[in-house]
């Protein structure tokens, strides 16, 4: 397996005695400019430097800037420990359990992540996973503990130079994703790196180093040891990055998708284009200039799961008295296919919505992999997916009465439903969503009747109105002691005779 000069795959916790000699590119030899760095990230870098600490721009931000891409975030590495960072920034919050990070907040949504230089931690005895990573170290040790060579480049704000300890500049030039050190060791330490390697190569249109690819194929079963919540977060990142279709095809080809989402793997293997076309529409929308914040988790979950069989379900399901014959099953009654008690876990729900027992048995017989993970999609996101799908029929009726439009626009899922229309609504979807956004629903007068608008009797059904809040009855309290008054609640003497003059 390939390695990097200065890395000791056997020790795992330290560098070899001979320190790595970094390659340093002065400002005249690289294209990274301070003009391309976020102003708030520059504020953090300069404040740390001016207070005597080493401060580097690190990670994917340096990689993307050298490639001429706009980074999605800017991370800072420093010699200051978290408490020292917190003393320098009033808007700093320390987070994390596996390793402590500082989030310096600018405004309600913007965060600059600041981390102390760390060295590669040692896994617990008898374990290959690194579960704690709070051992501080030097910039060199911090570079060697990172996952891939192209992610271990530093930009020094003091000298405006790019520092490379692990050969990341050469791999960046050759467009290669390579692990730092022995891939077998590094992927066992954190199996999520296998998913990140495939996603990063797909997004940047890079190739994966041969040794790294072989290690992923050999260790792909280790992915089930990862936290399902972390994996779900990685899936959401993949769906937002604008290369989701390419990533899922690569995950299927390398064998990881069968462990992560077997229904998607089966769909791609069967030659079906439902899932891939859904991901392609999402990529087209994202690459057309839509910000990632516009894509909610519910919309992403729907893009992934609806092609695989996720259907709308009522809040309460009614058991059927007898099974319907095949000739009576119609698409207009999807509730006949739903499980009586839908599970919170989507993988279980999809399995309940899937094919018959024969198909499930055939798939189980053909599969030699262990039981895959069940990704913990939030129930609120699944419910919102169903509401978005239910709203599509209403949104397609552009001539709806103004009162009904006000009701639809007041729903909390209205914006998600419009984005779904833009992404999956076909050629007319963007125009229809723009029509709804152009409406000033707050000033529209209520329609007199549906018949007057020429919409037929279907619109005459009463619309749901907000419930009036019941006015609470005031309790009559007792007056002060010795005073006269009417009867009051609780014990005490009633009204007595007036005092004598």
């Amino acid at each position: 397996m390939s390695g990097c000069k200065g890395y000791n795959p056997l020790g795992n916790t330290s560098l070899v005695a001979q320190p790595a000699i970094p390659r340093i590119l002065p400002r005249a030899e690289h294209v990274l400019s301070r003009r391309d760095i976020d102003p708030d990230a520059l504020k953090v870098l300069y404040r740390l430097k001016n207070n005597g600490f080493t401060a580097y721009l690190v990670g994917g931000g340096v990689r993307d800037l050298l490639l001429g891409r706009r980074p999605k975030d800017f991370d800072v590495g420093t010699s200051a420990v978290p408490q020292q960072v917190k003393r320098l920034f009033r808007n700093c919050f320390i987070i994390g359990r596996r390793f402590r990070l500082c989030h310096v907040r600018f405004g309600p949504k913007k965060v600059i992540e600041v981390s102390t230089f760390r060295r590669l931690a040692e896994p617990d005895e008898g374990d290959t996973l690194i579960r704690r990573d709070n051992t501080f170290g030097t910039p060199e040790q911090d570079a060697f503990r990172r996952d891939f060579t192209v992610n271990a480049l530093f930009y020094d704000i003091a000298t405006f130079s790019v520092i490379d300890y692990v050969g990341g500049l050469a791999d960046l030039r050759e467009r290669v994703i390579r692990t730092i050190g022995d891939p077998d060791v590094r992927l066992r330490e954190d199996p999520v790196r296998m998913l990140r390697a495939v996603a990063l190569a797909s997004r940047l249109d890079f190739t994966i180093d041969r040794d790294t690819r072989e290690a992923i194929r050999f260790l792909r079963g280790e992915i089930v040891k990862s936290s399902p919540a972390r994996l779900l977060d990685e899936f959401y990142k993949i769906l937002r990055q604008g290369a989701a279709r390419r990533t899922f095809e690569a995950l299927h080809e390398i064998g990881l998708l069968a462990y992560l989402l077997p229904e998607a793997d089966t769909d791609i293997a069967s030659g079906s284009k439902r899932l891939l076309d859904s991901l392609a529409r999402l990529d087209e929308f994202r690459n057309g200039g839509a910000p990632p914040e516009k894509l909610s988790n519910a919309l992403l979950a729907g893009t992934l799961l609806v092609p695989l069989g996720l259907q709308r379900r009522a809040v309460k399901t009614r058991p059927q008295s007898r099974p319907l014959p095949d000739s009576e099953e119609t698409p207009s009654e999807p509730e006949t296919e739903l499980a009586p008690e839908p599970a919170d876990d989507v993988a279980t729900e999809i399995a309940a919505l899937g094919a018959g027992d024969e198909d499930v048995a055939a798939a189980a017989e053909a599969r030699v992999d262990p039981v895959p993970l069940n990704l913990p999609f939030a129930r609120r996101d699944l419910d919102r997916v169903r509401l978005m799908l239910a709203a599509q029929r209403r949104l397609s009726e552009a001539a709806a009465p103004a009162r009904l439009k006000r009701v639809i626009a007041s729903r909390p899922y209205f914006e998600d439903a419009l984005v779904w229309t833009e992404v999956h609504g076909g050629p007319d979807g963007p125009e229809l969503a723009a029509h709804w956004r152009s409406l000033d629903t707050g000033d529209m007068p209520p329609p007199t009747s549906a018949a007057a608008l020429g919409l037929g009797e279907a619109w005459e059904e009463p619309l749901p109105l907000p419930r009036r809040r019941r006015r609470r009855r005031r309790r009559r309290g007792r007056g002060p002691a010795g005073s006269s008054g009417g009867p009051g609640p609780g014990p005490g003497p009633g009204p007595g005779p007036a005092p004598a003059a």
Side-chain angles (χ1 to χ4, degrees):
M1 298 272 180
S2 63
C4 292
K5 182 180 179 181
Y7 180 78
N8 180 11
L10 298 178
N12 248 8
T13 60
S14 63
L15 302 174
V16 294
Q18 181 67 29
I21 301 176
R23 180 184 177 188
I24 300 177
L25 286 185
R27 176 63 186 91
E29 297 182 18
H30 64 78
V31 298
L32 200 158
S33 171
R34 283 173 294 168
R35 291 193 301 268
D36 300 325
I37 301 176
D38 184 89
D40 292 322
L42 286 176
K43 291 178 184 177
V44 174
L45 288 167
Y46 276 116
R47 185 173 298 183
L48 289 167
K49 180 185 79 72
N50 294 337
N51 282 272
F53 299 107
T54 303
Y56 294 159
L57 188 69
V58 300
V62 180
R63 177 201 67 219
D64 288 344
L65 289 174
L66 290 174
L67 290 173
R69 303 169 62 98
R70 176 67 180 173
K72 63 181 179 66
D73 48 33
F74 294 86
D75 298 334
V76 174
T78 180
S79 58
V81 299
Q83 291 300 331
Q84 292 172 323
V85 177
K86 187 171 179 63
R87 283 196 290 267
L88 291 178
F89 299 94
R90 292 184 300 172
N91 51 336
C92 173
F93 300 86
I94 300 177
I95 66 165
R97 289 186 300 177
R98 178 181 169 185
F99 47 81
R100 309 291 283 171
L101 295 173
C102 295
H103 279 185
V104 182
R105 298 185 179 274
F106 295 89
K109 295 183 178 180
K110 190 175 185 180
V111 172
I112 304 298
E113 187 176 282
V114 182
S115 60
T116 306
F117 296 131
R118 297 189 299 274
R119 63 183 176 89
L120 194 60
E122 189 174 81
D124 297 334
E125 185 177 355
D127 195 358
T128 59
L129 295 177
I130 293 181
R131 305 182 187 275
R132 299 286 177 182
D133 194 8
N134 281 322
T135 309
F136 301 139
T138 65
E140 177 185 355
Q141 292 172 324
D142 188 82
F144 278 101
R145 72 159 187 88
R146 294 180 178 269
D147 49 7
F148 309 115
T149 58
V150 296
N151 290 342
L153 301 172
F154 298 154
Y155 174 73
D156 187 358
I157 195 62
T159 62
F160 313 131
S161 59
V162 174
I163 304 174
D164 176 19
Y165 286 97
V166 296
L169 289 172
D171 287 339
L172 205 62
R173 184 176 59 253
E174 297 173 6
R175 305 182 71 83
V176 172
I177 301 298
R178 189 193 316 271
T179 56
I180 300 174
D182 186 352
D184 183 78
V185 175
R186 303 311 306 280
L187 296 181
R188 288 182 187 274
E189 290 172 353
D190 187 1
V192 178
R193 288 170 179 164
M194 294 187 282
L195 178 60
R196 288 177 179 165
V198 176
L200 186 59
S202 300
R203 179 164 67 92
L204 299 179
D205 198 19
F206 280 24
T207 59
I208 300 178
D209 168 63
R210 181 175 59 85
D211 291 339
T212 303
R213 176 176 287 273
E214 290 177 359
I216 293 175
R217 287 186 182 277
F218 181 73
L219 299 172
R220 57 191 179 186
E222 297 286 311
I223 196 72
V224 299
K225 296 181 179 179
S226 304
S227 164
R230 285 185 66 201
L231 291 172
L232 181 61
D233 185 60
E234 292 295 328
F235 265 112
Y236 283 143
K237 291 178 182 178
I238 289 171
L239 294 171
R240 285 189 175 96
Q241 70 185 9
R245 173 171 181 155
R246 204 159 54 235
T247 303
F248 271 73
E249 289 175 329
L251 289 172
H252 167 70
E253 189 275 332
I254 209 167
L256 276 173
L257 193 58
Y259 291 83
L260 298 169
L261 197 59
E263 293 78 13
D265 185 73
T266 302
D267 185 81
I268 296 176
S270 67
S272 171
K273 297 295 183 182
R274 291 175 301 174
L275 174 60
L276 295 180
D277 288 347
S278 177
L279 298 176
R281 290 191 295 269
L282 181 67
D283 291 340
E284 182 181 1
F285 181 74
R286 176 68 179 89
N287 296 327
E293 298 80 14
K294 196 173 183 179
L295 304 176
S296 67
N297 286 353
L299 186 134
L300 298 177
T303 299
L304 178 60
L305 299 176
V306 168
L308 301 178
L310 178 66
Q311 300 183 25
R312 288 168 285 175
R313 62 172 174 81
V315 176
K316 295 181 180 179
T317 57
R318 189 169 49 185
Q320 300 194 11
S321 57
R322 61 181 178 85
L324 293 175
D326 295 340
S327 59
E328 297 183 16
E329 291 184 357
T330 60
S332 61
E333 298 179 357
E335 65 274 10
T336 60
E337 300 177 7
L338 296 177
E341 297 180 2
D344 291 346
D345 178 79
V346 165
T348 305
E349 181 172 0
I350 291 176
L353 294 170
D357 295 338
E358 297 179 359
D359 295 334
V360 174
E365 183 179 354
R367 187 181 300 279
V368 297
D369 298 331
V371 178
L373 286 168
N374 290 331
L375 297 179
F377 290 90
R379 191 180 185 89
R380 65 177 179 274
D381 291 336
L382 300 183
D383 290 339
R384 177 156 290 203
V385 170
R386 297 182 178 95
L387 292 172
M388 291 188 310
L389 295 178
Q392 296 307 303
R393 183 175 65 86
R394 295 293 192 187
L395 294 178
S396 64
E397 298 167 343
R403 185 185 181 193
L404 179 61
K405 290 182 177 179
R406 286 199 300 270
V407 172
I408 296 174
S410 66
R411 297 294 186 244
Y413 54 86
F414 175 67
E415 182 58 31
D416 279 347
L418 288 185
V419 177
W420 181 275
T421 302
E422 289 183 274
V423 177
H424 301 290
D428 299 332
E431 182 179 353
L432 186 61
H435 165 76
W436 278 89
R437 288 195 177 96
S438 67
L439 298 177
D440 188 3
T441 55
D443 297 332
M444 286 186 178
T448 54
S449 67
L453 295 175
L455 297 176
E457 298 180 357
W459 292 100
E460 293 290 355
E461 54 183 326
L463 295 172
L465 297 176
R467 295 179 59 184
R468 293 185 60 185
R469 186 175 181 181
R470 187 175 180 181
R471 190 171 181 179
R472 191 170 182 179
R473 197 172 182 181
R474 295 182 61 184
R475 293 183 61 183
R476 183 182 300 174
R478 290 184 298 173
S483 63
S484 62

